[in-house]
Amino acid sequence: MDLQTIGDRIEITDLLTRYAHAVDTKDWALYRTVFTPDAQIDYSATGGPQGTVEEVVSALTPMLDLFTRTQHFVSNLDVTLAGDEATVRAMFFNPMVVKPGKQFFCGGWYNHELVRTEGGWRSRRLVEESAWFENLAEAFAD
């Protein structure tokens, strides 16, 4: 593996870490730095929004305000580099706390199409793929 490939893989890992941090801290300015201005995002497999970055941020803001805590764990990155483009399939595991004692868990994959920009790697397309939910109904039951 050459130094360029190693550097690209580290930058891509950092990008996905920044993504998770931005979602969990509800830092929408930071979230926007993960994506190209024309990016398309699709969370519909898990009941979330789809559209442009701005459309998704507008929808996610009130949705994530339902939770007192979230943690988005991203792992098992499968990175395929092709010059200034890359695809990434990464697993996610998300504990979502509605309130103390009321939480659910979900898992699946983030599928990114990345492009190298002057500012580093950015996602131009993200499609979330759901694998499972646990305790969803109980988390929102009275």
Side-chain angles (χ1 to χ4, degrees), residues 58-132:
S58 291
L60 280 182
T61 301
M63 289 177 80
L64 287 177
D65 282 345
L66 296 173
F67 303 97
T68 59
R69 290 185 304 268
T70 65
Q71 285 188 306
H72 287 70
F73 296 90
V74 180
S75 67
N76 297 14
L77 277 65
D78 181 10
V79 178
T80 303
L81 293 163
D84 291 337
E85 297 183 346
T87 58
V88 178
R89 182 170 168 86
M91 288 184 171
F92 69 81
F93 169 69
N94 300 347
M96 309 287 286
V97 179
V98 178
K99 61 184 179 182
K102 295 283 189 175
Q103 65 272 329
F104 71 91
F105 307 89
C106 60
W109 294 270
Y110 293 129
N111 297 289
H112 284 274
E113 293 176 13
L114 304 180
V115 62
R116 187 192 319 269
T117 70
E118 289 183 13
W121 286 97
R122 298 292 182 265
S123 180
R124 67 176 168 211
R125 181 166 169 78
L126 166 59
V127 177
E128 186 176 56
E129 183 181 337
S130 177
W132 57 273

